[in-house]
Amino acid sequence: MKITIVFTEEGIVVPEMVIGSREIGAVVEFQGLVREMEGEEALDGLFYEAYPEMAEKVLRRHLEELGEIHGCESVEFIHRSGWVPVGEASLYIRVLSAHRGEGLRFLADSIDRLKQDVPIWKRVS
Amino acid sequence: MKITIVFTEEGIVVPEMVIGSREIGAVVEFQGLVREMEGEEALDGLFYEAYPEMAEKVLRRHLEELGEIHGCESVEFIHRSGWVPVGEASLYIRVLSAHRGEGLRFLADSIDRLKQDVPIWKRVS
Amino acid sequence: MDVRGLEDLAVVYELRWNVMKLLAFAKSKDDFGFSEKEIEVAATETPRELVARIVPGMDVSGIRVALDCEFADWDAPVGDAKEMAFLPPVSGG
Amino acid sequence: MDVRGLEDLAVVYELRWNVMKLLAFAKSKDDFGFSEKEIEVAATETPRELVARIVPGMDVSGIRVALDCEFADWDAPVGDAKEMAFLPPVSGG
């Protein structure tokens, strides 16, 4: 499985889509946007902090495992750090796979695993 | 829930994203591409036929129900008909929701329901 | 319209004939030999009776029928519907 | 290196001191009072011992420790690791 992981301080730009195989039947994309309401509080944005070297390593291992489990073709994963204003994306994921089921499961699992132990933190200010 | 359904004979162009609320936290997009191998056979593409008036009606009812069930903000649904070459999209769906779980479930269910009884057919030539 | 029971309904319908548009999709086009056709139909006639009349011996098992863009019963009268569609198993997506 | 057992390993390690980079992330920065710091560490010292030495009384429950970008055990010797990181519960996404 082809895995691309990017941590960036800049605004996320959706990468151009390259369909490398005539056997890709499903493209699943996810964007996580910063929301205004976090609990009771109205925010202007969130500040993300990462330990990028470790985050890359831990995340890559998860994505490789999920690739084995679900059998997808490729994943592009972008996480923004620093200040992210409300309405902008902190996270972008694109999964290419033969069928939708495996792409959707890969996507859901990859976000669950991101939130499990990948060293990235957000704070309100 | 805001529902947009389009049937088109043209190539699908991903519509510009409009985030209408500061409470949207998840954008889930799906593209279904025509694959070369259908069973044993190598294809150049697929021909899609629709009964668009009824497809729109049946699909809208499904999406409204799923909106009640999962509580999403909006869905844009585009299905192409006519000849679709391998590697191009026959289907595009974008769901906006507060959280990823509801958006992912909405997306998965909407494709299941599409394939259940929405009057659209594909054939090899 | 003052209708008190099924028999009265039948009497009322018996008097009415509609011009109905028939649509056959996908494989049904081959089965029926047309994709679109106009035909006179009595309000009391059922889709199954209509098919038996226009394509005798036709087997509609596996095919769904719709009236005015709603799934319908093969054995219920068509009433005032203006459009009947024959729908083989769908395969969109 | 010719090592035959844990005791030999301890002897070998005892002799070695590393300069290690410590990293504290998120809330740990406040707890530790630094975000980055260099410190001399014996190969036999455990992360828990190191923390007790540099921030006496510090409670590390809920915090994970990593050595060279891998999750590590609070109670295993740091060995040759060059970087130790203190990781409060993550919240990315």
Side-chain angles (χ1 to χ4, degrees):
Chain A
M1 180 180 200
K2 186 163 180 289
I3 297 172
T4 312
I5 298 172
V6 174
F7 295 100
T8 175
E9 300 265 334
E10 311 293 315
I12 291 175
V13 179
V14 173
E16 207 190 333
M17 186 159 75
V18 179
I19 305 292
S21 149
R22 290 166 68 85
E23 284 314 292
I24 303 299
V27 180
V28 185
E29 289 172 280
F30 176 82
Q31 289 184 58
L33 310 184
V34 173
R35 299 191 306 132
E36 185 167 54
M37 297 307 292
E38 185 83 14
E40 297 285 281
E41 212 172 349
L43 309 178
D44 293 325
L46 286 172
F47 191 90
Y48 284 85
E49 177 182 354
Y51 181 13
E53 299 82 3
M54 181 169 174
E56 210 274 350
K57 202 165 176 175
V58 173
L59 182 62
R60 182 173 297 273
R61 201 179 298 144
H62 282 312
L63 297 179
E64 278 165 358
E65 273 182 38
L66 292 175
E68 297 291 317
I69 294 170
H70 299 302
C72 296
E73 181 79 9
S74 74
V75 57
E76 294 160 88
F77 189 106
I78 306 175
H79 204 302
R80 183 168 170 185
S81 52
W83 177 252
V84 184
V86 165
E88 295 191 18
S90 55
L91 173 60
Y92 173 82
I93 306 173
R94 175 160 54 204
V95 185
L96 306 188
S97 56
H99 306 98
R100 73 186 185 286
E102 58 224 34
L104 285 168
R105 284 189 293 272
F106 184 101
L107 177 68
D109 287 359
S110 66
I111 304 173
D112 287 348
R113 289 190 178 211
L114 167 71
K115 289 171 179 282
Q116 178 184 307
D117 62 4
V118 176
I120 302 173
W121 300 267
K122 58 172 168 246
R123 62 171 194 265
V124 165
S125 60
Chain B
M1 180 181 201
K2 187 163 179 289
I3 298 172
T4 312
I5 299 172
V6 174
F7 295 100
T8 174
E9 300 266 333
E10 312 292 316
I12 291 174
V13 179
V14 173
E16 207 190 331
M17 187 159 75
V18 180
I19 305 291
S21 149
R22 290 165 69 87
E23 284 315 292
I24 302 299
V27 181
V28 185
E29 289 171 279
F30 176 82
Q31 290 182 57
L33 310 183
V34 173
R35 298 190 307 133
E36 185 167 53
M37 297 308 292
E38 184 83 13
E40 297 285 281
E41 210 173 349
L43 308 178
D44 293 326
L46 286 172
F47 190 90
Y48 284 85
E49 179 183 352
Y51 180 13
E53 299 81 4
M54 181 169 174
E56 210 273 351
K57 201 165 175 176
V58 174
L59 181 62
R60 181 173 298 274
R61 202 178 300 144
H62 282 311
L63 298 178
E64 278 165 359
E65 272 181 40
L66 292 175
E68 296 291 317
I69 294 170
H70 298 302
C72 296
E73 181 80 8
S74 74
V75 58
E76 295 160 87
F77 190 105
I78 306 175
H79 204 302
R80 184 170 170 186
S81 53
W83 177 251
V84 184
V86 165
E88 295 192 16
S90 55
L91 174 61
Y92 172 82
I93 305 173
R94 175 159 56 203
V95 185
L96 305 188
S97 57
H99 306 97
R100 72 186 185 288
E102 58 223 32
L104 285 168
R105 284 189 294 271
F106 184 102
L107 178 68
D109 287 359
S110 67
I111 304 173
D112 287 347
R113 290 191 177 209
L114 168 71
K115 289 172 180 281
Q116 177 184 307
D117 62 4
V118 176
I120 302 172
W121 300 267
K122 58 172 168 247
R123 62 171 195 265
V124 166
S125 62
Chain C
M1 195 167 76
D2 179 29
V3 175
R4 275 165 303 267
L6 276 177
E7 279 166 30
D8 299 276
L9 194 67
V11 170
V12 172
Y13 275 160
E14 200 73 61
L15 307 172
R16 296 215 316 281
W17 288 76
N18 272 326
V19 175
M20 189 181 259
K21 190 201 273 184
L22 305 185
L23 298 171
F25 288 96
K27 206 183 72 63
S28 290
K29 282 203 280 262
D30 302 330
D31 299 340
F32 283 86
F34 62 83
S35 62
E36 194 174 325
K37 183 186 196 123
E38 297 216 324
I39 192 166
E40 285 214 41
V41 182
T44 51
E45 199 169 17
T46 69
R48 194 182 303 280
E49 287 163 355
L50 182 142
V51 169
R53 174 157 67 88
I54 62 170
V55 193
M58 172 81 170
D59 176 12
V60 295
S61 60
I63 298 177
R64 298 180 77 172
V65 65
L67 292 173
D68 292 343
C69 293
E70 296 285 354
F71 291 108
D73 192 323
W74 279 108
D75 297 308
V78 299
D80 290 326
K82 298 269 176 287
E83 191 171 281
M84 182 184 298
F86 305 114
L87 313 171
V90 304
S91 55
Chain D
M1 196 165 77
D2 179 27
V3 175
R4 276 165 303 269
L6 276 177
E7 279 167 29
D8 300 275
L9 195 67
V11 170
V12 172
Y13 275 162
E14 201 70 63
L15 308 171
R16 296 211 320 278
W17 287 75
N18 271 327
V19 174
M20 188 180 261
K21 189 201 273 185
L22 304 185
L23 299 171
F25 288 95
K27 206 184 72 64
S28 289
K29 282 202 282 260
D30 302 329
D31 299 340
F32 283 86
F34 62 83
S35 62
E36 194 173 325
K37 182 185 198 123
E38 297 216 323
I39 192 167
E40 285 216 39
V41 181
T44 51
E45 199 168 19
T46 68
R48 194 183 303 280
E49 286 163 356
L50 182 143
V51 170
R53 174 157 67 89
I54 62 170
V55 193
M58 171 81 169
D59 178 11
V60 295
S61 59
I63 297 176
R64 299 180 76 171
V65 65
L67 292 172
D68 292 342
C69 294
E70 296 285 353
F71 290 108
D73 192 321
W74 279 108
D75 295 308
V78 299
D80 290 326
K82 297 269 175 288
E83 189 171 284
M84 182 183 300
F86 305 114
L87 313 171
V90 304
S91 54

